[in-house]
Every structure is written in structure tokens, then in C-alpha cells.
């Protein structure tokens, strides 16, 4: 047993169900884990028999490394394990030593053993391994009792070819699919709660993410844009490197205000955002647009509003939050760490020119008629010339 390195067992989630494509998804997942751990020196990671095994120098701390592994999409759970030879006497000694350490650290008093014999050549079957290990632990750890229903601790014994792994904890991962296995999407990223969650959810399905952010400088401040960059830094810890394209929408909003009905400002602005995002997405080889829209949440997100918005583009639009309650979205934002940044009170371009009574059931024919009063192509080209692109990498 290498006491200078911690060993982690990484279990695949949905990746394990991929049939003939399973080796491809496992390879991508392994590379993503390596990338997420590249800030550490001396990391070893390899896949064997449907699991991924990671070794990291003990100096980094097992909780820290396990947490970083758990943030990789495609990981179902992670366990810090101690390893020993696949020999009964070695297993007994290691299990007892491990449990004595847990007694000191957590004051546990009850336990049960669950054993798995992945190596079918091992001469003892799984139920008997569990029974024998449990008996030895009882003898060598005097304060413990067996409780098969509500134990303080479950001791897992996983007997594999040549090595046996012993552990008690399973840190849950986010599951999903490894990044890069499902194309690339362009998220329309505001500084609010919803769009960062939408980006995270699509990345969880294996999609690489780029972002476009609209502002109305000088009506919106640099602090508002920096807030968006802070959100992207959080997302990058899950999604890897993200390119952010910032575009000034001010001239378009002013043109709409001067030439179109006031109550159509929101829906017309939204259409322009979609058209500009589509141009940027096509230039960066994205497969689809992603938004944080949630049906019925605000005036532009009624069923009629979404139909009118979609009419502005030919690229598919993904809306992963479409049927979620706001409370559910907020809970996810808290879980992934974006919520506190999202609620910082900085204005965005959608609120600066918000009409008092926005149209909630727009008719496409009427919106197209209003839009015809604008030099649409010239406005889009002018806005694209304001584009600034930054690349934000995981810290």
C-alpha cells in the first residue's frame, strides 16, 4: 500500500449505460478528470474494469481532491479508499486498521460490511467475505457492534484482481455526460440567476459552452459586466475554458425606442439578441443557442413570446429550464455556487429600457411589421463591431 498517495475510486454514472460506445465515453471522462486535476503534481489516473482509479499525493488532502473529481460531469460518485493485497489476512488487518481510525475520527459505534468480489477467481464469495471481515473487525475493534439496519458506518470491501479496496464514504458527483461528447452551444448569458444554471445543465449533458453577453454601456456599468465574468469563472470550474463575447445593444434599443411601440421593446430587443447570438454562434462553430428562459416567468417568456423569439433565428434553441419552478432553479444555483453572485444588485441591458406594460401575447405579424421600420441588418452589423471576446479558464 502506497501510504504517500491517496487512492480514489471513481464510478461512472450514465456513461456506464452507453453499450458499444462505452469505451469512448470512458476515455473522454478520464481525460476530463486529468484536466480537472492538472493543478496538482504527481496525479495518476487510469481506467480498469469499468471504474477509474486516481492516485494523488497525500499532501493535497483527500477531501479536496475528491471534491475536484466529483465536479467532473460524468462522475457518479467518488470514494477515498485504502488498498491492500487480495489476501484474506491482509484484508482483515487493513479493514481493522481503517475502522480504528474511523472510531478515533468520528466516534462511530455501529457498522456493517458490504463486500463485492469483482475477481471471480478469489476463493471466497461476497457474502462470506462480508461475514468474515465483520467478525475480524469486531474482534480487533472492541467498541464496535454490528447494526445491519441503521449503522453509523458501512464498510465496503471491493476485491479486484490483485488489489482489494476498502472504504466507507461515497461522495456524490453530478453525473451526466463528459464534456465534449455532445457538441457546443452558445448561451445567452445575463447576470441573473437563470442563464448560468441553463449553461451548467447543458454542460452536464456533455455540451461545451461559449457565451454571449449583451450590455448597454454606459447605461449599464462595467461592474455589471464584471459580475458576468465572475459567473463565468464559477461555471468554468465545471465546464472548462469558456469564451465570452460581449456585445453592446444600446444603439439597437434606442432605435427600437424611437421607431417602435413602447410595449414591444422587450420582445424586439430579445429578437435582436437572438439574431446576433446566432451570427456569433455560427462563426464559432456552435450547434445551437441556449437560453435561461422559463415559460411564464416574465413578459417575454410566455408561450406566444417564445414563438415570436424563435422566429428570429434558424438555429435550434435549447431551454433546459423551460418547465422548472423558480425555486428549483434557485436551489440549483445555490448548489453549483452561482446564486450569491447572480443576486448582486447590478443592472443589465434588459432592465434599463424595460417598458411599463410589456406585451405578453405578441402576434408575429405585428412584431414583424414593427421590425420593418428598422434597418435590421445595419443595426446587427454595428452591434457586432462592438464585440469583445475574453477567454476565462478554470482557476
Amino acid at each position: 500500500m502506497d501510504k504517500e498517495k491517496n487512492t480514489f475510486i471513481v464510478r461512472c454514472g450514465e456513461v456506464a449505460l452507453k453499450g458499444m460506445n462505452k469505451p469512448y465515453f470512458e476515455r473522454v471522462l478520464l481525460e476530463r478528470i486529468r484536466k480537472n486535476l492538472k493543478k496538482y503534481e504527481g496525479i495518476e489516473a487510469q481506467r480498469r474494469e469499468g471504474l477509474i482509479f486516481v492516485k494523488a499525493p497525500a499532501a493535497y488532502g483527500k477531501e479536496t481532491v475528491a471534491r475536484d473529481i466529483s465536479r467532473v460531469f460524468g462522475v457518479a460518485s467518488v470514494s477515498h479508499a485504502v488498498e491492500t493485497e487480495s489476501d484474506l489476512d491482509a484484508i482483515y488487518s487493513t479493514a481493522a486498521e481503517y475502522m480504528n481510525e474511523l472510531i478515533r475520527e468520528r466516534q462511530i459505534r455501529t457498522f456493517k460490511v458490504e463486500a463485492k468480489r469483482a475477481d471471480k477467481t478469489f476463493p471466497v464469495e461476497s457474502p462470506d467475505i462480508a461475514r468474515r471481515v465483520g467478525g475480524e473487525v469486531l474482534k480487533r475493534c472492541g467498541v464496535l457492534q454490528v447494526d445491519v439496519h441503521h449503522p453509523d458506518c458501512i464498510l465496503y470491501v471491493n476485491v479486484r484482481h490483485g488489489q482489494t479496496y476498502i472504504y466507507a464514504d461515497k461522495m456524490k458527483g453530478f453525473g451526466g455526460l463528459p464534456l465534449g461528447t455532445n457538441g457546443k452551444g452558445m448561451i445567452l448569458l445575463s447576470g441573473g440567476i437563470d442563464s448560468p444554471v441553463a449553461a451548467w445543465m447543458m454542460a452536464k449533458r456533455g455540451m461545451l459552452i461559449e457565451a454571449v453577453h449583451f450590455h448597454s454601456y454606459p447605461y449599464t456599468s462595467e461592474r455589471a459586466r464584471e459580475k458576468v465574468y465572475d459567473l463565468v469563472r464559477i461555471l468554468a470550474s465545471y465546464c472548462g475554458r469558456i469564451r465570452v463575447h460581449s456585445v453592446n445593444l444600446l444603439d439597437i434599443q434606442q432605435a427600437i425606442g424611437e421607431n417602435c411601440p413602447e410595449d414591444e421593446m422587450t420582445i424586439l430587443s430579445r429578437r435582436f439578441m437572438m439574431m446576433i447570438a446566432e451570427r456569433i454562434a455560427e462563426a464559432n462553430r456552435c450547434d445551437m443557442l441556449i437560453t435561461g428562459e422559463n415559460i411564464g416567468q416574465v413578459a417575454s417568456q410566455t408561450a406566444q413570446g417564445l414563438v415570436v423569439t424563435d422566429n428570429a433565428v434558424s438555429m435550434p434553441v435549447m431551454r433546459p429550464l423551460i418547465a422548472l419552478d423558480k425555486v428549483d432553479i434557485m436551489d440549483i444555483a445555490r448548489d453549483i455556487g452561482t446564486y450569491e453572485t447572480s443576486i448582486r444588485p447590478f443592472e443589465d441591458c434588459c432592465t434599463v429600457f424595460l417598458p411599463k406594460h410589456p406585451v405578453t401575447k405578441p402576434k408575429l405579424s405585428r412584431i414583424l411589421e414593427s421590425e420593418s421600420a428598422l434597418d435590421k441588418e445595419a443595426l446587427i452589423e454595428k452591434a457586432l463591431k462592438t464585440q469583445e471576446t475574453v477567454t476565462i479558464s478554470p482557476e
Side-chain angles (χ1 to χ4, degrees), residues 38-218:
K38 67 180 181 180
K39 60 189 174 183
Y40 304 116
E41 293 182 3
I43 293 290
E44 302 171 32
Q46 55 182 296
R47 58 189 180 102
R48 299 197 309 268
E49 304 172 288
L51 295 175
I52 291 175
F53 293 86
V54 175
K55 287 192 175 184
Y60 294 126
K62 56 182 182 286
E63 292 83 7
T64 301
V65 176
R67 185 176 61 250
D68 284 343
I69 296 171
S70 74
R71 293 166 75 92
V72 177
F73 294 129
V75 171
S77 64
V78 186
S79 292
H80 168 253
V82 295
E83 56 182 301
T84 189
E85 299 172 17
S86 289
D87 168 83
L88 280 174
D89 287 336
I91 292 171
Y92 297 156
S93 297
T94 304
E97 181 183 344
Y98 182 78
M99 290 301 289
N100 274 317
E101 186 174 335
L102 288 186
I103 291 169
R104 289 192 296 271
E105 290 179 353
R106 306 184 192 177
Q107 289 78 51
I108 64 168
R109 291 296 179 267
T110 61
F111 79 109
K112 75 172 182 177
V113 180
E114 292 187 4
K116 180 178 181 180
R117 185 185 63 154
D119 177 8
K120 301 307 179 186
T121 66
F122 191 76
V124 183
E125 295 185 352
S126 298
D128 205 23
I129 294 172
R131 182 182 61 79
R132 294 189 189 190
V133 171
E136 288 296 324
V137 168
L138 280 174
K139 283 193 289 185
R140 302 185 193 198
C141 306
V143 300
L144 289 180
Q145 293 182 333
V146 173
D147 183 344
V148 298
H149 300 295
H150 304 288
D152 295 334
C153 168
I154 299 176
L155 179 66
Y156 297 95
V157 179
N158 190 334
V159 180
R160 308 185 77 81
H161 290 85
Q163 294 291 113
T164 291
Y165 298 89
I166 295 171
Y167 53 93
D169 299 310
K170 293 182 179 181
M171 180 181 289
K172 189 175 180 181
F174 288 111
L177 298 173
L179 281 168
T181 58
N182 244 335
K184 183 164 68 168
M186 180 69 72
I187 178 74
L188 280 74
L189 188 67
S190 71
I193 295 171
D194 299 339
S195 55
V197 173
W200 183 89
M201 289 182 70
M202 293 304 292
K204 183 181 174 183
R205 301 308 303 161
M207 181 165 284
L208 295 172
I209 299 296
E210 288 207 20
V212 57
H213 170 64
F214 295 96
H215 62 90
S216 302
Y217 185 80

Side-chain angles (χ1 to χ4, degrees), residues 368-381:
L368 291 175
E369 181 181 349
S370 297
E371 206 171 75
S372 67
L374 304 169
D375 190 343
K376 185 167 65 176
E377 191 61 31
L379 287 169
I380 290 173
E381 288 297 326

Side-chain angles (χ1 to χ4, degrees), residues 128-358:
D128 205 23
I129 294 172
R131 182 182 61 79
R132 294 189 189 190
V133 171
E136 288 296 324
V137 168
L138 280 174
K139 283 193 289 185
R140 302 185 193 198
C141 306
V143 300
L144 289 180
Q145 293 182 333
V146 173
D147 183 344
V148 298
H149 300 295
H150 304 288
D152 295 334
C153 168
I154 299 176
L155 179 66
Y156 297 95
V157 179
N158 190 334
V159 180
R160 308 185 77 81
H161 290 85
Q163 294 291 113
T164 291
Y165 298 89
I166 295 171
Y167 53 93
D169 299 310
K170 293 182 179 181
M171 180 181 289
K172 189 175 180 181
F174 288 111
L177 298 173
L179 281 168
T181 58
N182 244 335
K184 183 164 68 168
M186 180 69 72
I187 178 74
L188 280 74
L189 188 67
S190 71
I193 295 171
D194 299 339
S195 55
V197 173
W200 183 89
M201 289 182 70
M202 293 304 292
K204 183 181 174 183
R205 301 308 303 161
M207 181 165 284
L208 295 172
I209 299 296
E210 288 207 20
V212 57
H213 170 64
F214 295 96
H215 62 90
S216 302
Y217 185 80
Y219 287 85
T220 54
S221 66
E222 282 297 325
R223 289 189 303 171
R225 182 158 55 169
E226 189 56 40
K227 169 185 171 181
V228 171
Y229 292 158
D230 287 343
L231 286 168
V232 175
R233 290 184 187 98
I234 297 169
L235 290 175
S237 68
Y238 301 98
C239 307
R241 186 176 60 186
I242 300 175
R243 281 158 50 91
V244 186
H245 310 271
S246 295
V247 176
N248 194 322
L249 203 67
L250 181 59
D251 287 345
I252 290 173
Q253 291 174 307
Q254 290 177 330
I256 294 171
E258 292 168 3
N259 297 281
C260 304
E262 181 192 5
D263 64 347
E264 294 175 358
M265 167 63 79
T266 300
I267 196 70
L268 286 167
S269 297
R270 192 68 180 169
R271 281 174 59 86
F272 272 97
M273 290 181 195
M274 297 292 280
M275 289 185 279
I276 293 168
E278 183 178 48
R279 302 278 183 97
I280 298 173
E282 289 171 345
N284 289 277
R285 298 182 179 180
C286 293
D287 303 296
M288 58 191 63
L289 301 178
I290 307 166
T291 78
E293 290 165 312
N294 173 264
I295 195 162
Q297 187 177 143
V298 297
S300 64
Q301 296 177 23
T302 61
Q304 297 88 341
L306 296 179
V307 168
V308 170
T309 300
D310 278 358
N311 174 265
V313 295
S314 57
M315 185 172 278
V317 182
M318 296 291 107
R319 296 182 172 96
L321 311 185
I322 193 68
L324 295 184
D325 290 342
K326 186 67 175 184
V327 172
D328 296 329
I329 299 169
M330 292 165 65
D331 286 344
I332 297 172
R334 291 188 182 96
D335 287 342
I336 67 177
T338 57
Y339 181 79
E340 292 300 327
T341 302
S342 291
I343 61 174
R344 290 183 198 165
F346 298 132
E347 70 289 331
D348 64 34
C349 66
C350 295
T351 58
V352 170
F353 293 92
L354 188 66
K356 290 182 180 179
H357 302 289

